[in-house]
Amino acid sequence: RMKYPSAVQGAIAASAPIRGFPFQVPTYETSSYWQVVTRTASSAAGAAPRCKDNVRDAWDIMFEMAKSTSGLAKLSEIFSMCEPLRDAQQVEELAVFLMVAWDTMAMGNYPFPSSYLTNNPSILMPPFPVRVACSYLADEFDLPQDGELLLSALSQATSVFNNASQALNCYSLPEDKSYDGIWDYQWCTECLCQETYFERNGVTDMFWPFAYNEAAIDAHCQQKYGVQQRRDLIAISYGAGLSPLERGFSNIVFTNGGYDPWSSAGVNATLSDSVISVFIPEGAHHLDLMFSTPQDPQSVQYARKVQLDNIRKWIQEFAE
């Protein structure tokens, strides 16, 4: 609709992170992505109250244990590694593996069992997987003496996604260490990088500090694809620093969910009577595009009604 308004009468934009591109106003703070993941693991989203604090406490324990041979051996045991962890770099890769599990469970925090993010229709994550994961981290741990118990609880929690099949006896570190996946080339050419590159601070999120580094992204894209990023491509194509309303767009319904970390880069306020935003507090990644179920919260039922009402209006306006 934004690019071809003469051909497209209207658009439903579910969980569309269009404010995450460069040269938007206000500038997208990449750390906000991980803040939403953390909120989804909090009591505000129905999870165990101590969950996010326990997750945050675990990383320093892991990284300290990575400094010794005995610590590496214990970490390999606690996290059921198929091959023993060799060094601190591999422990960092393990930490990212666990972090991505929280990320994926937040995106897939649906009120019903779902295979949407397991890449296998026969493998289901449970309803509200973040709440299930957090149930393993509900206790108060007496640190530092309970450090290994905390890590064991973290291993159980992340297995809700990492071993959703319940068929794995051990884990191997992924070869794709940045989890660039199928989107990687598009990220490299249109510049909305994978969330593993986003900034974390370990204070407003439950992870460990990590700086957003455009030079590292550039080096990755050049090395893997031989391309240079065009950070201004989206701004040139659609307009820099302007909202969809200010750019003259119309007939768009944006929806975003409170559990979905991509909502941090979404359009979360209605801009006009034809550029509408519906926020779904109990929504994960485009829950509104899933088939209706008895478990659907009222907020997503309302979002679908708004979408259908506008689709009918667009069709009528086109016919006239």
Side-chain angles (χ1 to χ4, degrees), residues 95-126:
V96 174
F97 176 62
L98 304 176
M99 179 186 73
V100 169
W102 288 107
D103 176 21
T104 307
M105 289 188 290
M107 279 191 279
N109 203 40
Y110 303 119
F112 45 78
S114 172
S115 63
Y116 178 65
L117 293 170
T118 65
N119 296 320
N120 187 326
S122 66
I123 298 176
L124 302 176
M125 280 200 292

Side-chain angles (χ1 to χ4, degrees), residues 72-242:
L72 288 168
K74 193 64 183 179
L75 288 171
S76 301
E77 175 188 338
I78 290 171
F79 290 101
S80 302
M81 303 306 296
C82 297
E83 299 289 337
L85 295 164
R86 297 191 303 270
D87 51 34
Q89 176 59 42
Q90 285 202 324
V91 173
E92 176 94 15
E93 293 171 15
L94 170 62
V96 174
F97 176 62
L98 304 176
M99 179 186 73
V100 169
W102 288 107
D103 176 21
T104 307
M105 289 188 290
M107 279 191 279
N109 203 40
Y110 303 119
F112 45 78
S114 172
S115 63
Y116 178 65
L117 293 170
T118 65
N119 296 320
N120 187 326
S122 66
I123 298 176
L124 302 176
M125 280 200 292
F128 296 117
V130 175
R131 297 179 190 178
V132 176
C134 281
S135 69
Y136 295 104
L137 289 157
D139 294 338
E140 185 170 355
F141 294 88
D142 188 10
L143 300 177
Q145 51 263 44
D146 287 346
E148 291 182 10
L149 289 175
L150 173 56
L151 295 186
S152 294
L154 177 63
S155 178
Q156 289 179 290
T158 51
S159 72
V160 172
F161 171 69
N162 287 334
N163 194 14
S165 68
Q166 300 183 7
L168 297 178
N169 296 317
C170 62
Y171 299 104
S172 298
L173 294 174
E175 294 182 9
D176 184 3
K177 301 184 190 312
S178 295
Y179 300 81
D180 299 302
I182 62 173
W183 300 96
D184 195 28
Y185 183 76
Q186 186 173 8
W187 274 315
C188 276
T189 53
E190 297 185 357
C191 195
L192 178 58
C193 64
Q194 168 65 291
E195 60 265 32
T196 50
Y197 294 101
F198 288 171
E199 183 174 332
R200 307 184 298 272
N201 57 39
V203 177
T204 60
D205 60 63
M206 63 182 186
F207 301 102
W208 64 97
F210 178 85
Y212 177 69
N213 187 338
E214 289 186 347
I217 299 171
D218 289 344
H220 160 76
C221 295
Q222 183 65 44
Q223 186 275 328
K224 190 170 183 179
Y225 300 109
V227 298
Q228 292 184 334
Q229 286 213 315
R230 292 187 57 193
R231 291 193 166 83
D232 58 356
L233 178 63
I234 298 299
I236 291 172
S237 298
Y238 297 99
L242 300 174

Side-chain angles (χ1 to χ4, degrees), residues 2 18-28 231-249 267 271:
M2 293 169 71
I18 67 169
R19 291 198 183 277
F21 293 103
F23 304 105
Q24 303 301 307
V25 177
T27 300
Y28 178 56
R231 291 193 166 83
D232 58 356
L233 178 63
I234 298 299
I236 291 172
S237 298
Y238 297 99
L242 300 174
S243 73
L245 176 60
E246 293 166 324
R247 299 174 199 167
F249 299 128
V267 176
L271 302 174

Side-chain angles (χ1 to χ4, degrees), residues 11-14 244-245 249-256 267-279 302-303 305-307 309-311 313-314:
I12 303 299
L245 176 60
F249 299 128
S250 62
N251 290 7
I252 304 173
V253 176
F254 292 97
T255 53
N256 285 285
V267 176
N268 292 314
T270 292
L271 302 174
S272 73
D273 60 358
S274 69
V275 181
I276 297 166
S277 172
V278 182
F279 194 74
Y302 171 74
K305 181 181 183 302
V306 172
Q307 291 169 337
D309 287 347
N310 278 273
I311 290 171
K313 184 180 77 169
W314 299 334

